[in-house]
Amino acid sequence: MAKGKNHQPGGAAAVVEALVRPTVEGFGLRLWDVRFEKEGPDWFLRVLIDRDEPLDTDTCEAVSRAIDPLLDEADPIEQSYYLEVGSPGLGRKLTRDVHFEAMRGRRVAAHLIRATAAGEKDVAGILQGKDGARVTLLLDDGSETVIEEKEASYFKLCDDEDLF
C-alpha cells in the first residue's frame, strides 16, 4: 500500500499516466488505461497494460516493480491505495479515441442507455471507426449504425463472446 499527499483523486489517474507511460513503453508495451477506483473502504490504482501477444504475470510484476518507485518518489495520490498492474482483459472497455482506433475492424458491443425502436439495449458489430463522438458499427445484416458516445453506457471489445 502506498501513501501520497499531493493531488486529489479526480486528477490522480492523469498524473499517474504521465508518470508511468515512458516506463511502460520502455518495456515495449502499450499503456491501455490508468484507473483510480474506490472499492469498499479501499482505493486501487490500476495500471492496465497491453501488447499484441498475451501478457503474463511476470511482465505485469516487472512493470509494477519498475513504476512503484516512481510513484513513491512523485507521491501523486493523497489516499492510501493498492497498486495493481495487469491486462485490460477480454471484453475490455473502449474509453479513449486511441482504443477505438486500435480496435477498428474488430467486433465491439455497445450497451445503450435507452433501448432502440426494436427494444434492444445491446448492439454489436464490426467497428468501422469513430468520428468525434460518433461511433460507426457494421451490423451482422450488412447495415451500418451510428451511435453517439453519450447514448451508450459503454463500448467493449467482443473477444470474449465465444467463451461463455
Side-chain angles (χ1 to χ4, degrees), residues 17-34:
E17 183 173 330
L19 278 170
V20 304
R21 181 176 297 282
T23 301
V24 169
E25 291 175 351
F27 277 87
L29 303 166
R30 290 183 296 270
L31 182 60
W32 184 265
D33 206 356
V34 174

Side-chain angles (χ1 to χ4, degrees), residues 72-99:
D72 285 346
E73 183 179 325
D75 205 13
I77 298 175
E78 186 175 315
Q79 286 86 358
S80 293
Y81 62 91
Y82 295 96
L83 173 63
E84 293 180 351
V85 176
S87 164
L90 297 173
R92 65 190 63 190
K93 290 187 178 173
L94 310 180
T95 58
R96 303 169 182 215
D97 289 347
V98 295
H99 297 162

Side-chain angles (χ1 to χ4, degrees), residues 110-123 151-153:
H111 182 72
L112 305 177
I113 295 168
R114 290 186 192 86
T116 65
E120 296 175 338
K121 288 191 92 175
D122 293 298
V123 178
E151 294 174 356
S153 56

Side-chain angles (χ1 to χ4, degrees), residues 107-140:
R107 188 169 178 79
V108 300
H111 182 72
L112 305 177
I113 295 168
R114 290 186 192 86
T116 65
E120 296 175 338
K121 288 191 92 175
D122 293 298
V123 178
I126 304 300
L127 178 61
Q128 301 300 293
K130 182 172 182 278
D131 184 16
R134 299 166 54 91
V135 178
T136 303
L137 300 179
L138 177 63
L139 303 178
D140 293 339

Side-chain angles (χ1 to χ4, degrees), residues 23 27 57-67 85:
T23 301
F27 277 87
T57 55
D58 291 341
T59 301
C60 295
E61 180 183 0
V63 171
S64 180
R65 290 182 187 276
I67 65 175
V85 176

